[in-house]
Amino acid sequence: MALLLLPGRAYSWACLDDCGDAFEGVLAALAPGDVAACRLVSRAWRREIDLLLQHLAPAPGAEPAAVVATFPHLSTLQLTASADGGDSSSAGAGSGSSSAPARLPPLGALVSLRRLRALSLVGPPPVGGQFDCRSLLPLSGAPPALAALEMSGLKLRHAAALQQLTQLTSLHLAGSGVLGGWQRSLPALLAPLRRLAHLHFSCTPLHAAAASGPADPAAAAAAAAEDAAVVAAVAAVALVAELVAPGPAGLLDGLSNLTSLVSLELCCRDGGSEAAVAEVAALPRLRRLSIVRCASFGVGAPSMSDASLALLSRALGCQLSSLALTGHLGIGDEGLRAVARCAALRHLELRLGAPGISLDAEGASDEGVRALAALSGLESLHLGGAIALGEAGCTALAASLRGSLTSLQLSNCTSLADPALFKLAPLAPGLRRLGLCSCEGVTDIGLAALLRGASRLSRLELAGCHRNITEIGLQVGGLRRLRHLDLAGCDAIPDHGIEGLLPAARSLEHLNLRDCRVTDTACALLAAASPNLRWLSLEHCPGVSDEGLRHLAAGLPLLRELRLCGSGVSPGAAAQVLGRALRGRPLKLRVKKPCWWVQGAAGRGAAAQVPAPLAAAAH
């Protein structure tokens, strides 16, 4: 749910998302006690009341003071920097120019939100923005007792100010420059946060290129001087006096000192190194671990090995309930056997190898997968990449996980074929989620064998199965509970194939038809048979024209997000058609994609997602 707040305009309940025409007026006229009583009417009303009064995501550039004045009872708030250079009052003279990086406005007004517990700060696409961490200092006291903080797509400045948010239990940092002048490691920066239980840290070269902007030696020197002043101030109040002296240190050195961590997610170049894994293995309370080795790190980036997994198994095997490893190159059958000794695991994700990179060493095989069958308590399993999955492994998994597994995802498994899927059929009755993305060896026969018994399935993902999956494999019984269907790239499913999905389409809420061979006919069928559809992607479907858009606008009353990038729908026609059909109903429309590789004014222009006439209806 989101609300569009623009400078100089009055705000009302009528701007809110997911409400009927009369419901906003009713809420605006009721006293707070009566609004709370509305929660007793039905589950639907209770959900809407909770969203309206507690959770908000204003449009980019919204002033925190305006948000606070209108919604004083928020507990969760997401603020996004505008892409026009930010607020001039917060960035100094000249910061409002188009060449200045986007900045978030001051956050001091948030102090009056006595119930605020979670705050998310997001930089604008495509190049991100800057954020001065000193803006968070008013929130360092209590109340409000801010527990969760997320900052993504932002180049942080004065990161040392984060050390004063000692009440944080959850921290999410995604982007570049997250240390903002801090000369030591990330754990050294976070050492004062004694209550920190959940940490997500993601920093990739792509983020760095996007958020860094043009080099300015003078500005960099000034920022470094200011950061040094902040560090000195922190030391003066004796928060972390032992960390003041700068010195050479790795990005993750000292990670084992964050002994309060229960959940850890790492996506940085050194995350898979032996030193980092040893630090992780020493965390005494860790229950959930995710280490991603991104392809943008390059082939020389450290990767986890069988020895690394053996170390984790010995140290954390009795306590880890969730483990996710993505993109690592050195894991084989011995590593999978080590994972199988983590008896407490309930959620396991192993997507190994890097697509498109030829490796001399062999990856994991069916023997390693058979060892994973010892994890009889698994509730979700995701295998993919450099794992040769065959009939023997599938047979063992089906025998052991029947009755416990509710989510099964197999992605980029080039060796997976129909005979192996037949062996997985005993798992189907318990599955609520099934994914076979980019498993090109799977055909309609194998898919139908799984779906025939999957009567509880609510989510099905087949993106990239473009060779052998048609509507025939999907036209089986038991899909009437389906809520989420991803057919991106399944170009063997034409318009009449969509018609074959209509028995399940009435319950669909999320449908991805990107890169499919569908036309206006499919739009008309969906408009007639999918009244609950809320999210729809028709990206790169040139057969969809303005006529198809008119069908969608007239027949999908609950639609909240529509993606038309690369389709045959013109932006002008989209604005005209939807402007007449929506009648104030909010819709997030995407007709253009951000071009992150284009810098300067051209890149910002390419990032525009919503035509001007639809600005009042979007978000």
Side-chain angles (χ1 to χ4, degrees):
M1 185 206 53
L3 174 69
L4 183 69
L5 296 180
L6 298 176
R9 294 187 57 180
Y11 311 122
S12 70
W13 289 105
C15 300
L16 290 169
D17 193 4
D18 288 336
C19 299
D21 292 338
F23 194 37
E24 306 90 8
V26 173
L27 288 176
L30 292 179
D34 294 329
V35 171
C38 289
R39 301 178 76 255
L40 302 177
V41 175
S42 68
R43 285 184 298 176
W45 277 48
R46 181 168 66 249
R47 180 175 63 88
E48 299 295 348
I49 290 291
D50 289 344
L51 287 175
L52 296 179
L53 297 183
Q54 298 182 20
H55 311 290
L56 196 65
E63 287 290 340
V67 175
V68 171
T70 311
F71 302 98
H73 303 298
L74 293 175
S75 62
T76 301
L77 177 62
Q78 176 180 309
L79 295 175
T80 303
S82 62
D84 58 1
D87 179 72
S88 59
S89 63
S90 64
S95 65
S97 64
S98 61
S99 60
R103 300 171 186 261
L104 285 162
L107 306 179
L110 300 184
V111 174
S112 60
L113 292 176
R114 300 298 180 180
R115 301 180 183 180
L116 187 65
R117 297 296 179 268
L119 177 62
S120 177
L121 306 175
V122 182
V127 296
Q130 292 188 8
F131 177 69
D132 190 336
C133 293
R134 293 175 298 183
S135 297
L136 294 169
L137 294 182
L139 304 179
S140 60
L146 188 67
L149 175 63
E150 177 179 349
M151 293 184 285
S152 59
L154 292 168
K155 182 178 181 180
L156 304 185
R157 299 182 61 201
H158 313 298
L162 295 176
Q163 294 180 332
Q164 297 194 36
L165 300 176
T166 55
Q167 76 279 15
L168 286 181
T169 61
S170 176
L171 181 61
H172 182 119
L173 299 175
S176 71
V178 290
L179 299 186
W182 180 262
Q183 300 302 314
R184 303 200 58 157
S185 67
L186 176 70
L189 176 67
L190 304 181
L193 309 183
R194 303 297 184 185
R195 300 180 183 179
L196 191 65
H198 312 284
L199 174 61
H200 176 110
F201 178 70
S202 176
C203 184
T204 66
L206 177 58
H207 284 138
S212 60
D216 187 349
E226 291 177 330
D227 287 338
V230 174
V231 173
V234 171
V237 295
L239 286 175
V240 278
E242 72 277 11
L243 297 176
V244 173
L251 182 64
L252 301 176
D253 283 359
L255 189 61
S256 58
N257 295 327
L258 302 180
T259 55
S260 60
L261 285 183
V262 175
S263 174
L264 176 62
E265 298 179 49
L266 296 175
C267 180
C268 56
R269 195 179 189 279
D270 297 329
S273 65
E274 293 182 3
V277 172
E279 296 269 10
V280 169
L283 292 171
R285 302 180 183 178
L286 198 65
R287 298 292 184 271
R288 296 179 293 276
L289 174 64
S290 173
I291 301 180
V292 176
R293 183 184 180 276
C294 185
S296 61
F297 298 155
V299 294
S303 179
M304 295 188 67
S305 63
D306 291 345
S308 299
L309 284 178
L311 175 60
L312 285 178
S313 175
R314 289 193 301 269
L316 304 176
C318 296
Q319 63 189 60
L320 274 184
S321 63
S322 177
L323 177 63
L325 303 176
T326 303
H328 298 279
L329 306 177
I331 296 178
D333 289 338
E334 285 301 320
L336 267 59
R337 294 188 183 97
V339 172
R341 292 192 289 271
C342 299
L345 279 178
R346 296 295 178 266
H347 308 280
L348 176 62
E349 178 178 349
L350 296 174
R351 291 186 290 161
L352 308 180
I357 297 179
S358 177
L359 302 175
D360 295 333
E362 295 183 359
S365 69
D366 245 9
E367 289 299 317
V369 175
R370 290 176 62 184
L372 294 179
L375 302 173
S376 57
L378 277 183
E379 299 173 9
S380 66
L381 176 63
H382 188 169
L383 300 178
I387 297 180
L389 184 60
E391 294 183 55
C394 290
T395 301
L397 292 177
S400 176
L401 304 182
R402 184 177 183 179
S404 65
L405 199 70
T406 60
S407 174
L408 175 63
Q409 293 175 270
L410 307 173
S411 58
N412 295 102
C413 291
T414 56
S415 62
L416 186 66
D418 288 345
L421 282 189
F422 297 154
K423 303 298 183 182
L424 294 174
L427 297 175
L431 292 181
R432 292 184 175 89
R433 178 177 184 178
L434 174 63
L436 298 172
C437 295
S438 299
C439 293
E440 298 179 355
V442 174
T443 72
D444 286 332
I445 299 175
L447 178 62
L450 270 181
L451 296 184
R452 191 169 290 110
S455 58
R456 305 172 65 185
L457 201 65
S458 63
R459 186 180 182 110
L460 178 60
E461 301 165 21
L462 300 172
C465 297
H466 59 88
R467 292 184 179 178
N468 301 312
I469 296 297
T470 70
E471 70 280 5
I472 297 175
L474 295 168
Q475 292 176 2
V476 295
L479 295 181
R480 296 186 182 277
R481 296 186 181 183
L482 205 61
R483 299 288 185 270
H484 182 118
L485 179 59
D486 189 350
L487 298 176
C490 294
D491 51 11
I493 301 179
D495 286 338
H496 66 268
I498 300 299
E499 186 175 9
L501 297 176
L502 295 184
R506 187 156 292 273
S507 60
L508 276 180
E509 298 178 0
H510 182 115
L511 178 61
N512 190 349
L513 296 176
R514 176 173 54 86
D515 294 304
C516 290
R517 292 191 298 111
V518 295
T519 66
D520 295 338
T521 302
C523 294
L525 293 171
L526 290 173
S530 304
N532 295 316
L533 206 60
R534 293 173 175 266
W535 191 99
L536 176 63
S537 175
L538 295 168
E539 295 182 270
H540 310 298
C541 297
V544 175
S545 68
D546 300 346
E547 180 64 25
L549 180 63
R550 281 189 281 272
H551 289 300
L552 297 176
L556 299 178
L558 301 180
L559 193 63
R560 292 295 178 263
E561 183 167 349
L562 178 60
R563 299 190 175 190
L564 298 171
C565 310
S567 69
V569 178
S570 61
Q576 184 178 11
V577 172
L578 294 176
R580 290 196 305 266
L582 293 176
R583 296 179 181 177
R585 175 163 50 90
L587 172 69
K588 185 175 181 181
L589 176 67
R590 187 170 182 178
V591 294
K592 296 181 181 178
K593 285 186 177 180
C595 297
W596 56 264
W597 61 88
V598 179
Q599 299 295 325
R604 287 189 292 274
Q609 295 182 4
V610 182
L614 278 180
H619 302 283

